[in-house]
């Protein structure tokens, strides 16, 4: 388990009724990784510390997209520890397949203007997590929106109006039938200067080959290789477009 991840079970209703200091109680639970039992209602959540904030993520175990995946933690860790080279202040960022929203939340806390996207059935849990963790703490309020890969891209995200500095994606390649649509979506959202940060979990050969398909249209650089997690973190940009440069790097 990633050391940044802690778990607790919250008993908000019990605690409020009894006048217990929920924050202190839960902070102690997080530190000791104890589980607090509830008698009335149980809200299970996972706690993370990124961008100098305690973030609480609610999962929904009957929805694939509402479960936290390790790639999201890898991408957040990278963003948090590379704030100088990847300064997100006032940058336009869109996240694909945002799931529980951790990456969108951290990106918002780091000062970006974030559009957090996923399939319609995932949006309510995503919106809940994004609001709960960013309300009153972000320079720009993040926006949660439906984006089904490959569908109505120009209608919903017109290229003339939507210019993104970054496209973020964590664990969006797995055994689903929309890999071609995903590639088209990356393609549609990338313009001059747009950079993709993509955390890829390697599983089966069929899905892993997506990396080669991806490279037919995008320049790809490896930022992390984490064999114990079978995850790589890539940055990419559309071939034929202007590329961002950082100190010491060739364009
Ligand atoms: C493995 S989960 C990763 C979620 C999150 N990024 C994370 O790392 O915790 C894959 C995500 O892609 C979304 N997804 C799958 N197929 C999609 C599609 N066709 N269009 C848009 N999102 C899709 C799922 O709803 C889910 O949130």
């Amino acid at each position: 388990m990633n050391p940044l991840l802690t778990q607790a079970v919250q008993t908000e209703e019990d605690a409020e009724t009894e006048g217990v200091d929920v924050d202190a109680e839960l902070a102690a639970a997080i530190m000791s990784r104890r589980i607090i039992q509830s008698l009335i209602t149980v809200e299970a959540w996972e706690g993370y510390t990124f961008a100098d904030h305690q973030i609480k993520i609610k999962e929904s175990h009957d929805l694939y997209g509402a479960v936290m995946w390790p790639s999201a933690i890898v991408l957040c860790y990278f963003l948090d520890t590379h704030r100088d080279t990847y300064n997100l202040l006032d940058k336009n960022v869109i996240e694909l397949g945002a799931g529980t929203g951790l990456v969108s939340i951290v990106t918002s806390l780091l000062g970006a203007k974030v559009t957090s996207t996923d399939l319609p059935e995932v949006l309510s849990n995503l919106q809940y997590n994004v609001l709960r963790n960013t309300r009153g703490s972000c320079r720009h309020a993040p926006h949660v929106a439906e984006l089904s890969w490959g569908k109505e891209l120009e209608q919903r995200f017109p290229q003339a109006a939507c210019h993104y500095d970054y496209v973020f994606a964590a664990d969006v390649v797995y055994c689903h039938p929309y890999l071609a649509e995903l590639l088209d979506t990356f393609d549609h959202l990338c313009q001059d200067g747009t950079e993709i940060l993509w955390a890829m979990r390697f599983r089966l050969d069929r899905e892993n080959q997506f990396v080669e398909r991806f490279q037919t249209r995008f320049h790809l650089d490896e930022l992390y290789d984490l064999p114990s997690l079978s995850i790589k973190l890539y940055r990419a940009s559309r071939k034929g477009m202007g590329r961002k440069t950082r100190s010491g790097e060739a364009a």
Side-chain angles (χ1 to χ4, degrees):
M1 184 73 70
N2 188 296
L4 294 163
L5 169 64
T6 51
Q7 266 190 317
V9 175
Q10 186 176 10
T11 65
E12 269 175 350
E13 197 168 330
D14 294 348
E16 275 167 26
T17 316
E18 295 165 19
V20 175
D21 183 340
V22 176
D23 280 343
E25 187 74 29
L26 290 174
I30 288 165
M31 293 303 291
S32 63
R33 303 189 66 180
R34 276 190 301 122
I35 291 177
I36 303 171
Q37 298 295 340
S38 170
L39 295 175
I40 305 172
T41 57
V42 176
E43 187 193 7
W45 53 270
E46 292 189 349
Y48 302 85
T49 304
F50 286 114
D52 311 318
H53 284 73
Q54 292 284 330
I55 298 168
K56 293 178 181 176
I57 294 292
K58 181 167 167 268
E59 295 185 311
S60 160
H61 290 278
D62 52 354
L63 263 184
Y64 193 68
V67 173
M68 171 63 62
W69 298 87
S71 299
I73 298 171
V74 169
L75 181 46
C76 288
Y77 178 80
F78 179 83
L79 295 173
D80 203 19
T81 53
H82 291 77
R83 296 189 202 185
D84 293 337
T85 34
Y86 287 80
N87 182 356
L88 297 177
L89 202 66
D90 300 329
K91 296 292 191 301
N92 277 316
V93 180
I94 186 164
E95 185 184 4
L96 302 181
T100 53
L102 183 66
V103 171
S104 289
I105 291 163
V106 171
T107 305
S108 299
L109 291 170
L110 290 171
K113 301 173 200 168
V114 175
T115 304
S116 181
T117 73
D118 210 305
L119 292 169
E121 60 267 30
V122 180
L123 296 187
S124 126
N125 192 62
L126 174 60
Q127 177 83 58
Y128 174 83
N129 282 327
V130 166
L131 263 181
R132 173 189 203 170
N133 288 288
T134 60
R135 198 188 285 122
S137 356
C138 287
R139 192 172 162 97
H140 307 284
H143 172 56
V144 172
E146 176 184 342
L147 194 168
S148 303
W149 302 328
K151 280 197 190 160
E152 300 175 345
L153 293 173
E154 186 53 28
Q155 292 97 304
R156 287 172 176 270
F157 300 89
Q159 287 181 320
C162 301
H163 183 281
Y164 297 105
D165 298 291
Y166 293 101
V167 178
F168 289 167
D171 206 357
V172 289
V173 177
Y174 52 97
C175 55
H176 61 67
Y178 303 106
L179 293 176
E181 289 81 357
L182 175 63
L183 194 55
D184 288 343
T185 304
F186 276 126
D187 202 309
H188 178 82
L189 297 171
C190 282
Q191 300 187 44
D192 226 15
T194 304
E195 190 163 11
I196 297 171
L197 289 181
W198 164 35
M200 162 85 184
R201 171 94 186 267
F202 285 79
R203 296 185 177 95
L204 302 173
D205 283 349
R206 190 183 153 268
E207 288 88 53
N208 297 348
Q209 285 159 6
F210 180 81
V211 178
E212 279 100 75
R213 285 167 73 185
F214 186 86
Q215 281 178 291
T216 60
R217 297 201 217 169
F218 295 89
H219 299 285
L220 194 65
D221 299 312
E222 195 177 291
L223 298 172
Y224 281 158
D225 180 5
L226 308 168
S228 63
L229 295 170
S230 303
I231 290 174
K232 289 187 180 187
L233 178 65
Y234 295 114
R235 70 169 172 193
S237 58
R238 181 85 170 82
K239 285 183 175 172
M241 300 277 183
R243 300 181 77 184
K244 277 196 181 72
T245 53
R246 296 192 165 74
S247 51
E249 292 178 352

